[in-house]
């Protein structure tokens, strides 16, 4: 994948951040204390819903339950802390908004205040970077620490979404969060659920708004039974074509490497 791209210094920044966090997490996991009460969280005001056009993605660690059983809770905690923390930070790097972490997965939005093509660029660039950092660095880090590697799947879609902070006010714990009500979110979740290991699936709206370079990494995968989409070019409903995304940055960066 060549456009857009991550510079060598950007890649090095991500890798150095990953290893710093991994060292910190390793220390924390070694010294887990017993909790006695629910942490007090800052009170947050409930907001009114707003409509956006967004790229939405679900990312999930494959076979997480089996991973915990095979590796034990401490190693699984280290794994999920290292990978999910970086996956969440990368959302911010690509101007996205992280909604929730389910333990072994996350939901994020891209494209606030952007046109559709910009939103799709941010989404696909995010997925490319997650794949790169997982394959080139995270799994190698796990191997160094004698921890089993992981695989992920993802589902992504583009479309209108209504976002609102829902829940209740409570001064001792946060009982509210930003939630999306959206067909695009439902479709992204559905695509993630049918994706195989190491598969990143998107809907036709993502393909439609992708540029020529990014389309070269989106290959027809299957059709989603019971779903259709309205092609903006023809304004006609068509079968919902699923695309498999294969874009990934190339090149490894050593975590202790210095700029020349």
């Amino acid at each position: 994948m060549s456009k857009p791209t991550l510079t060598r210094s950007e890649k090095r920044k991500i890798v150095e951040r990953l290893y710093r966090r991994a060292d910190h997490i390793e220390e924390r996991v070694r010294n887990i204390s017993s909790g006695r009460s629910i942490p007090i969280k800052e009170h947050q005001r409930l907001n009114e819903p707003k409509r956006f056009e967004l790229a939405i993605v679900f990312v999930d660690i494959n076979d997480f339950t089996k991973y915990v059983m095979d590796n034990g809770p401490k190693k699984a905690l280290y794994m999920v802390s290292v990978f999910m923390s970086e996956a969440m930070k990368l959302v911010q790097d690509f101007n996205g908004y992280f909604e929730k972490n389910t333990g072994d997965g996350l939901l994020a939005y891209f494209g606030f205040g952007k046109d559709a093509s910009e939103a799709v660029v941010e989404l696909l660039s995010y997925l490319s970077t997650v794949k790169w950092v997982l394959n080139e660095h995270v799994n190698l880090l796990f191997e160094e620490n004698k921890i089993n590697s992981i695989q992920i799947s993802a589902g992504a879609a583009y479309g209108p979404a209504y976002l609102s902070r829902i829940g209740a006010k409570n001064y001792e714990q946060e009982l509210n969060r930003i939630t999306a009500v959206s067909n695009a979110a439902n479709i992204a979740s559905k695509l993630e659920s049918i994706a195989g290991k190491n598969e990143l699936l998107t809907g036709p709206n993502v393909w439609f708004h992708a540029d020529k370079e990014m389309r070269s990494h989106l290959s027809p995968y299957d059709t989603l039974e019971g779903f259709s989409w309205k092609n903006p070019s023809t304004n006609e409903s068509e079968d919902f074509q699923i695309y498999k995304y294969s874009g990934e940055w190339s090149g490894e960066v050593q975590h202790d490497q210095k700029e020349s």
Side-chain angles (χ1 to χ4, degrees), residues 9 25 66 70 78 81 94 96-97 99 109 117 126 135 141 147 157 169 181 184 191 205 218 234 244:
S9 63
I25 291 170
K66 186 177 185 300
D70 291 346
Y78 174 79
S81 297
F94 288 97
Y97 178 85
E99 179 189 317
Y109 314 117
S117 60
Y126 170 75
N135 294 332
L141 175 62
I147 294 176
K169 294 180 180 180
V181 178
L191 293 177
N205 271 312
L218 289 164
T234 63
K244 181 179 177 180

Side-chain angles (χ1 to χ4, degrees), residues 41-52:
K41 294 187 177 181
E42 183 180 357
H43 168 65
Q44 295 186 0
R45 181 181 178 181
L46 301 180
N47 297 324
E48 295 181 354
K50 294 184 179 180
R51 185 184 188 278
F52 300 91

Side-chain angles (χ1 to χ4, degrees), residues 123-151:
L123 165 71
L124 296 181
S125 297
Y126 170 75
L127 290 175
S128 296
T129 309
V130 168
K131 286 180 63 179
W132 167 75
V133 78
L134 174 63
N135 294 332
E136 298 291 342
H137 297 284
V138 171
N139 277 332
L140 294 180
L141 175 62
F142 293 160
E143 183 180 333
E144 292 172 7
N145 287 276
K146 297 181 173 26
I147 294 176
N148 290 343
S149 62
I150 61 171
Q151 296 173 306

Side-chain angles (χ1 to χ4, degrees), residues 28-90:
R28 289 293 182 89
V29 171
R30 282 200 311 266
N31 301 287
I32 299 177
S33 60
S34 298
R36 295 185 178 180
S37 61
I38 300 173
I40 297 175
K41 294 187 177 181
E42 183 180 357
H43 168 65
Q44 295 186 0
R45 181 181 178 181
L46 301 180
N47 297 324
E48 295 181 354
K50 294 184 179 180
R51 185 184 188 278
F52 300 91
E53 296 283 335
L54 298 173
I56 302 174
V57 62
F58 280 86
V59 178
D60 188 69
I61 298 171
N62 299 142
D63 297 329
F64 181 70
T65 300
K66 186 177 185 300
Y67 190 98
V68 176
M69 294 177 64
D70 291 346
N71 295 273
K74 276 198 171 184
K75 287 186 177 181
L77 178 61
Y78 174 79
M79 176 278 290
V80 76
S81 297
V82 169
F83 173 69
M84 293 304 298
S85 296
E86 186 57 37
M88 291 160 63
K89 186 66 175 72
L90 288 172

